[in-house]
Amino acid sequence: MQRGICILSTNIAVDARNVGKIYGNGAGAVTALGDVSIAIEKGEFFTLLGPSGCGKTTLLRCIAGFETPTTGTIHLSGRDITYDPPYQRPVNTVFQSYALFPHLSVAQNVGFGLKMQGTPASDVAKAVERVLALVKLEAFADRLPQQLSGGQQQRVALARALAPEPEVLLLDEPLSALDLKLRKEMQSELKRLQTETGITFIFVTHDQEEALTMSNRIGVMSAGALLQVGTPHDIYESPVNRFVADFIGETNFLEGEVEGGQVRIGTGDLLAVDLNGETGGVTLAIRPEQVSVKAADAQLSGKITEATYLGTDTHYTIGLGDGSHLVARVQSNSVAAFGVGDTVGIAIDAKAVQVLKS
Amino acid sequence: MSRQTPGRSKGLNGWLLSTPALILLLLAASGPLLIVAVYSVLEKGDYSGVRWILSGEGWFRVLFEKDIFDHTISLADANLSIFWRSFKLSIATTVITFAFGLPTAWFIATRPAKSRAFWLFLITIPFWTNLLIRTFAIMEVIRNQGILNTFLMHFGLISEPIQILYTDTAVLMGMTYVYLPLMVLPLYAAIDRFDFRLIEAGYDLYASRWQVLRGVILPIIKPGIIAGCILVFIPSLGAYVTPRVLGGGKNMMIGNFIELQFGQGQNWPLGAALSTVLLLVVLVSLLVYTRASSRDNPNG
């Protein structure tokens, strides 16, 4: 058994098994983390995605060593680190607040971890130079953190965490304080750094777009539980439940009933979709870009209640007969523009419809 | 610093408004200091006071004494031992108040915001009572038939009362008690501003508890540490009541020695010279403080 785990874990950087975290006890106890098991591979860019309070940061802090799980174990490269203090874990964190040492220069901040590990000063200097070059901050080595802009501080925090060459880099919503343009830049910067260094990144965010563009795999969390783990493609195209579908991108939900291999929705229309073995009451998750709007009659018909022009795309909110709505995203130049009040035909790409248990 | 900002120019009005403050400062602060400085270079009067003749005798007597018969000059050992005791006790007071003050301030600063005011209130309670009364209260605790000795003898821990009163230890205890709040308050202010997330960052970057304390916490709260040390060291050096009451007559500190010159000693120039020395020491320590805190905090 022990041997089996060792062989199994050669490719696994972080292996969390049945990790739970409960704050307080008795009636006032709060479960921050249910029973989460997750295996993160070496060299992977893994994102923990979920709304605030879902437990993603708690899980990250358990891996970093700032919190001790109430139940379960955490292994790092096959070694049990559940109860190791943070300073004995080859894991570094990029904090949401950056937490740069205000009394130390940029170079001293970046060299802090290596210095604490007892690396000789000349080696520290070399490593600092190399890492600062990696984040393009060579010119700022002697500045103090408060003399830098937010984006620069962010990169110092990144350099500081990368300098000791940790096995795993933990990033706790590091981009949330940056403005949109800078955030986009840092996203590709992070991706580049991860590829160049080959270090396993565990990235925590509540921004689904960030998660989709950067990650190799995503773990979607809600209320202390891990709902789905998969590639961005899997998570987007085949969400396991309504929460995941709703959280990742915009989604239309139509309630229906399975009836002879098809689904009868509220309007009374039958939709031929891939049932995936579901029976009884189901929810159809339909992405807005999979809904096409036609002037002529189609599978369904409805009346446009809202039309929003977004440049390349136009969003139509279409009221169906039973009071439910569908949002369609249509390329602005692909069809004649419709206006509010127009009655239109709706076609849904049946293959793209995800059938979820109601 | 003196850059004029629009709408806030220092015109005639500004000067007029600050006149009362300036006069008060001139008369109440600078005036006495000037008198002390002038008296230190005058000849001593027959019984007390000064004669208006320029003389270096006062300054000379700070460190030296002249034999009254053969006029040989030697170092004034008695004075030197008083200086030494003053420095020793002041530094010891500063170190001990820091050792007690840091954990206390840390404790208060890490309480929930609601209860912090309560703990700070407890720290300030001693200020409500006159220093003299508090000092006599300490005397009551440590004297031979006092609470401490009675307690220790009652439980058979000692057979004879320990002589604490009228020793340097008694003075040290008294000063530590009196000046502890002056150490705790600036330390609290510094720790209160401290970003505790930096401790996690330190741990994350392989620093042990001791390394986090030395490499992260202490350097960042250093301005508070220096402020506390100065607030304790300076009044300790000039302490008068505590060494007078708890040290008895023989364990004098500079403050008592100065008082002696203006009273029984009837040597006002020496007293004035000693006061000026004390003032200069204080100025130098303040200078060190400003230097130390400005070097670490280029942005304030």
Side-chain angles (χ1 to χ4, degrees), chain A residues 90-172:
Chain A
V91 167
N92 290 134
T93 308
V94 178
F95 294 89
Q96 188 172 12
S97 63
Y98 312 151
L100 298 175
F101 302 122
H103 61 300
L104 299 180
S105 70
V106 167
Q108 287 169 321
N109 262 286
V110 175
F112 191 90
L114 288 167
K115 197 179 151 196
M116 291 300 131
Q117 284 178 316
T119 313
S122 57
D123 294 353
V124 174
K126 263 180 251 161
V128 167
E129 213 171 299
R130 190 173 45 79
V131 180
L132 281 180
L134 202 62
V135 297
K136 298 174 187 128
L137 279 177
E138 304 100 311
F140 299 90
D142 297 323
R143 300 271 189 98
L144 286 173
Q146 62 261 42
Q147 295 168 314
L148 303 179
S149 71
Q152 289 166 337
Q153 288 185 22
Q154 164 70 77
R155 280 188 286 166
V156 175
L158 200 57
R160 186 180 68 173
L162 282 171
E165 295 179 9
E167 283 181 36
V168 176
L169 189 75
L170 307 175
L171 302 104
D172 185 8

Side-chain angles (χ1 to χ4, degrees), chain A residues 61 66 87 89 91-93 95 97 99-103 113 116-117 144 146 160 164, chain B residues 195 197-198 200-209 211 215-216 219-220 296 298-299:
Chain A
R61 290 173 61 82
F66 303 134
Y87 49 86
R89 301 181 184 210
V91 167
N92 290 134
T93 308
F95 294 89
S97 63
L100 298 175
F101 302 122
H103 61 300
M116 291 300 131
Q117 284 178 316
L144 286 173
Q146 62 261 42
R160 186 180 68 173
Chain B
D195 181 355
R197 290 173 295 197
L198 295 177
E200 277 189 357
Y203 284 150
D204 189 62
L205 293 160
Y206 314 109
S208 62
R209 283 164 173 274
Q211 285 171 319
V216 179
I220 293 175
D296 289 332
N299 290 350

Side-chain angles (χ1 to χ4, degrees), chain A:
Chain A
M1 185 68 200
Q2 194 57 42
R3 198 162 150 189
I5 287 169
C6 284
I7 292 163
L8 202 77
S9 58
T10 46
N11 274 328
I12 304 295
V14 175
D15 187 9
R17 297 176 200 160
N18 307 100
V19 172
K21 178 74 189 174
I22 296 163
Y23 292 103
N25 44 42
V30 178
T31 305
L33 218 49
D35 178 48
V36 173
S37 293
I38 195 169
I40 295 161
E41 283 166 30
K42 282 189 175 148
E44 194 175 24
F45 196 122
F46 191 93
T47 299
L48 288 169
L49 176 68
S52 58
C54 71
K56 58 192 193 298
T57 295
T58 307
L59 181 58
L60 198 76
R61 290 173 61 82
C62 285
I63 298 171
F66 303 134
E67 310 275 359
T68 308
T70 318
T71 57
T73 58
I74 296 171
H75 287 72
L76 184 75
S77 304
R79 188 168 63 89
D80 188 346
I81 57 158
T82 316
Y83 301 104
D84 286 357
Y87 49 86
Q88 284 172 6
R89 301 181 184 210
V91 167
N92 290 134
T93 308
V94 178
F95 294 89
Q96 188 172 12
S97 63
Y98 312 151
L100 298 175
F101 302 122
H103 61 300
L104 299 180
S105 70
V106 167
Q108 287 169 321
N109 262 286
V110 175
F112 191 90
L114 288 167
K115 197 179 151 196
M116 291 300 131
Q117 284 178 316
T119 313
S122 57
D123 294 353
V124 174
K126 263 180 251 161
V128 167
E129 213 171 299
R130 190 173 45 79
V131 180
L132 281 180
L134 202 62
V135 297
K136 298 174 187 128
L137 279 177
E138 304 100 311
F140 299 90
D142 297 323
R143 300 271 189 98
L144 286 173
Q146 62 261 42
Q147 295 168 314
L148 303 179
S149 71
Q152 289 166 337
Q153 288 185 22
Q154 164 70 77
R155 280 188 286 166
V156 175
L158 200 57
R160 186 180 68 173
L162 282 171
E165 295 179 9
E167 283 181 36
V168 176
L169 189 75
L170 307 175
L171 302 104
D172 185 8
E173 307 218 17
L175 309 181
S176 59
L178 304 177
D179 61 54
L180 186 67
K181 187 169 173 292
L182 214 49
R183 195 153 67 222
K184 294 278 179 214
E185 268 175 45
M186 281 307 295
Q187 283 176 9
S188 51
E189 182 98 357
L190 276 178
K191 193 70 196 154
R192 176 182 68 84
L193 283 171
Q194 198 265 332
T195 321
E196 275 177 30
T197 59
I199 293 173
T200 311
F201 276 33
I202 304 180
F203 185 88
V204 157
T205 185
H206 60 262
D207 184 332
Q208 46 97 8
E209 197 191 320
E210 213 163 83
L212 289 175
T213 54
M214 297 169 78
S215 324
N216 297 119
R217 282 196 304 158
I218 299 172
V220 184
M221 294 185 71
S222 169
L226 193 63
L227 301 179
Q228 187 174 7
V229 177
T231 63
H233 185 268
D234 289 345
I235 302 257
Y236 190 84
E237 300 295 338
S238 341
V240 290
N241 61 24
R242 182 166 178 157
F243 178 87
V244 176
D246 199 21
F247 197 74
I248 307 276
E250 271 182 273
T251 310
N252 295 298
F253 294 105
L254 291 178
E255 301 297 332
E257 197 81 33
V258 175
E259 205 178 296
Q262 291 190 316
V263 175
R264 188 177 295 281
I265 59 169
T267 54
D269 296 289
L270 274 170
L271 290 181
V273 293
D274 179 3
L275 281 177
N276 225 347
E278 296 289 348
T279 53
V282 292
T283 301
L284 303 180
I286 308 159
R287 298 287 181 191
E289 62 270 23
Q290 287 150 357
V291 179
S292 18
V293 183
K294 296 180 159 58
D297 245 14
Q299 281 166 289
L300 301 170
S301 70
K303 198 178 247 183
I304 294 179
T305 59
E306 214 180 298
T308 314
Y309 177 73
L310 298 170
T312 52
D313 290 343
T314 302
H315 277 199
Y316 293 111
T317 307
I318 306 156
L320 302 180
D322 63 340
S324 57
H325 288 84
L326 267 184
V327 174
R329 178 155 70 219
V330 184
Q331 283 205 334
S332 295
N333 56 5
S334 66
V335 286
F338 298 105
V340 174
D342 290 355
T343 301
V344 291
I346 304 162
I348 296 168
D349 180 1
K351 291 193 301 293
V353 174
Q354 193 70 24
V355 181
L356 307 168
K357 188 120 204 93
S358 272

Side-chain angles (χ1 to χ4, degrees), chain B residues 32-33 35-37 39-40 58-59 62 83 238 254-255 257-259 261-262 267-283:
Chain B
L33 291 182
I35 293 171
V36 168
Y39 274 24
S40 73
W59 281 94
V62 169
F83 296 156
I254 299 179
F257 192 48
I258 291 172
E259 189 259 356
Q261 304 314 319
F262 285 100
N267 193 342
W268 285 26
L270 174 56
L274 287 168
S275 306
T276 314
V277 169
L278 197 57
L279 191 72
L280 289 175
V281 171
V282 168
L283 277 179

Side-chain angles (χ1 to χ4, degrees), chain B residues 5 11 35 64 100 104 124 128 166 180-181 206 253 262:
Chain B
T5 45
I35 293 171
F64 304 102
F100 282 104
T104 310
T124 55
W128 298 7
Y166 307 134
L180 189 58
Y206 314 109
M253 286 178 65
F262 285 100

